Amino acid sequence: MLFREVGNVEVIVAQKLGKTFAVKQKRPGMAGSLEAIFSPTFKEIEAVRDVSLSVEEGETVAFIGPNGAGKSTTIKMLTGILYPTSGMATVLGIVPWRERQLLSREIGTVFGQRSQLWYDLPPRDTFDLLARIYDIPRNTCRARMSMLAEMFELDEIMSTPVRKLSLGQRMRCEIAASLLHGPRVLFLDEPTIGLDVVAKRRIRELIRTMNREEGVTVFLTSHDVSDMEELCRRVMIINHGQLILDTAVSTLKRDYLKFKIVRVRLSDPIGGFDMQGVTVLKHKRTNMKMSVDSEITSIDAVLGELMRHSRIEDITISDPPTEQVIAEIYLREDVGSIGGASDGSS
């Protein structure tokens, strides 16, 4: 393994970063007309507005928000895919959109809904192609591929066409491919999207290992709160293109993630359920959906009370949706002004 010394060096810096898109608008009654075709009207959509942030070397940072909040747009600017409309950013001291080729040798990227693997070819062929693109010496490449194949458990699938791999297997290959050239920063955009519970756990373990053993800085977006809780010590929340909170994950959990969503299926229907700290969201015969305030009552206490009335046949416990967390943050007076209040990055 390669072990890097990690210091307090800022590897990602953004200052008042903004991105505006011009979107063609339909005019009532003008659809298909020559005027609409040759003189279209446009509306400006501000996808990202005045985002300022910094990430130190070796950090694992979650960058979360609802759909359309500006997460992917921000990552695309930080990786040089998009030019910003305003502001400035550097990654490892490089301005991404000016020196994208130079930056690409120092960063890895994984977009959960976009693949860098050749669909009809086995992962080994994609790895060989990437090794040539990055000019990795043959001996170094072999050692690196062997290490990644062992760590990500890829040996049995390296010669299998990508189209025949499960989603979990493909995502392991995607992340391994992004790490082949030994990047210092790893950008992950929804890396666990669509994966089952077991596959998600494995992906998280692998990301955590690479951060710990190689000092790779991880910048992660996800709709899964568990990704944030298990991988990151710091979280940034973006909504409507603006950064509204930058804090430690422990602080976020303490102040904002107090509720759990509990779904149960009972063997026998019950008339009603009333318990302090529990809000019944849905109740139809034997199926119930509840919101439980963990500060007031524990999940164990809720399940114990339910079992006094009926046997539990199935249960699911999950975090509240990201949108609900953000709504809670907006309601808090201590968040301060838009732009986010930081009370510690680790």
Side-chain angles (χ1 to χ4, degrees):
M1 291 287 184
L2 171 65
F3 292 87
R4 289 196 180 104
E5 291 187 4
V6 178
N8 296 326
V9 178
E10 292 182 334
V11 294
I12 303 175
V13 179
Q15 298 175 337
K16 293 187 175 297
L17 201 61
K19 181 63 179 180
T20 300
F21 294 98
V23 180
K24 188 180 293 187
Q25 297 292 294
K26 290 184 178 180
R27 288 187 284 180
M30 301 291 289
S33 67
L34 289 176
E35 185 177 352
I37 294 173
F38 292 105
S39 300
T41 58
F42 293 88
K43 179 182 179 181
E44 289 194 342
I45 303 296
E46 199 170 23
V48 175
R49 184 196 318 170
D50 292 337
V51 167
S52 296
L53 57 86
S54 65
V55 178
E56 291 185 356
E57 186 177 15
E59 276 197 282
T60 51
V61 177
F63 192 62
I64 69 173
N67 286 328
K71 303 186 301 297
S72 295
T73 300
T74 302
I75 278 191
K76 287 176 180 177
M77 287 189 285
L78 292 176
T79 54
I81 296 173
L82 289 178
Y83 279 68
T85 305
S86 59
M88 179 54 66
T90 59
V91 177
L92 297 166
I94 301 168
V95 178
W97 50 91
R98 292 179 184 168
E99 298 177 279
R100 185 180 175 191
Q101 186 173 353
L102 178 62
L103 180 65
S104 67
R105 296 181 177 275
E106 301 293 337
I107 66 172
T109 57
V110 175
F111 292 92
Q113 301 184 63
R114 295 286 186 275
S115 179
Q116 62 184 320
L117 303 173
W118 286 75
Y119 187 68
D120 292 312
L121 298 178
R124 188 184 305 279
D125 288 0
T126 296
F127 282 27
D128 288 340
L129 176 61
L130 290 173
R132 292 173 181 268
I133 291 174
Y134 289 111
D135 293 325
I136 304 174
R138 185 178 296 275
N139 291 338
T140 302
C141 179
R142 285 177 178 173
R144 185 75 175 169
M145 284 180 63
S146 177
M147 183 272 288
L148 290 171
E150 180 181 356
M151 177 181 292
F152 286 68
E153 298 178 356
L154 303 179
D155 285 322
E156 294 183 359
I157 61 174
M158 286 291 277
S159 299
T160 304
V162 170
R163 68 175 185 275
K164 294 185 178 180
L165 301 180
S166 68
L167 183 56
Q169 291 172 327
R170 184 174 68 79
M171 286 310 303
R172 296 208 310 271
C173 291
E174 292 278 2
I175 297 175
S178 71
L179 293 166
L180 183 64
H181 58 295
R184 294 171 58 190
V185 180
L186 185 60
F187 290 95
L188 300 171
D189 191 15
E190 301 283 0
T192 63
I193 189 168
L195 299 182
D196 59 43
V197 175
V198 175
K200 283 184 179 182
R201 185 182 302 118
R202 182 62 179 142
I203 292 296
R204 291 170 189 148
E205 289 173 355
L206 292 169
I207 295 170
R208 191 161 44 237
T209 299
M210 295 306 297
N211 169 256
R212 182 178 64 249
E213 297 188 357
E214 295 202 356
V216 177
T217 303
V218 178
F219 194 87
L220 165 79
T221 78
S222 179
H223 278 92
D224 192 329
V225 177
S226 295
D227 285 347
M228 174 195 72
E229 290 184 304
E230 294 186 26
L231 287 172
C232 304
R233 298 182 63 187
R234 179 180 168 202
V235 58
M236 302 178 189
I237 297 182
I238 187 172
N239 196 30
H240 299 301
Q242 292 182 282
L243 200 62
I244 64 172
L245 188 68
D246 180 352
T247 189
V249 170
S250 58
T251 301
L252 183 75
K253 291 170 67 176
R254 183 184 69 238
D255 293 346
Y256 301 105
L257 292 176
K258 300 174 182 178
F259 290 86
K260 292 289 183 181
I261 304 300
V262 179
R263 295 176 175 84
V264 295
R265 187 175 74 247
L266 306 172
S267 59
D268 303 300
I270 61 176
F273 187 77
D274 186 17
M275 188 174 182
Q276 189 177 13
V278 178
T279 302
V280 178
L281 304 176
K282 289 182 181 179
H283 184 188
K284 187 175 181 182
R285 292 181 58 77
T286 59
N287 293 308
M288 294 183 65
K289 177 182 177 182
M290 300 167 289
S291 175
V292 179
D293 187 340
S294 57
E295 281 199 328
I296 298 175
T297 188
S298 67
I299 299 295
D300 287 343
V302 174
L303 298 181
E305 182 63 22
L306 280 170
M307 287 189 287
R308 290 180 61 247
H309 300 279
S310 176
R311 182 167 55 87
I312 297 175
E313 292 189 347
D314 191 23
I315 180 171
T316 303
I317 302 172
S318 60
D319 294 295
T322 306
E323 290 81 356
Q324 183 176 330
V325 177
I326 291 173
E328 177 74 12
I329 290 171
Y330 266 129
L331 293 174
R332 296 295 187 92
E333 295 180 359
D334 61 337
V335 169
S337 60
I338 292 295
S342 176
D343 55 8
S345 61
S346 60

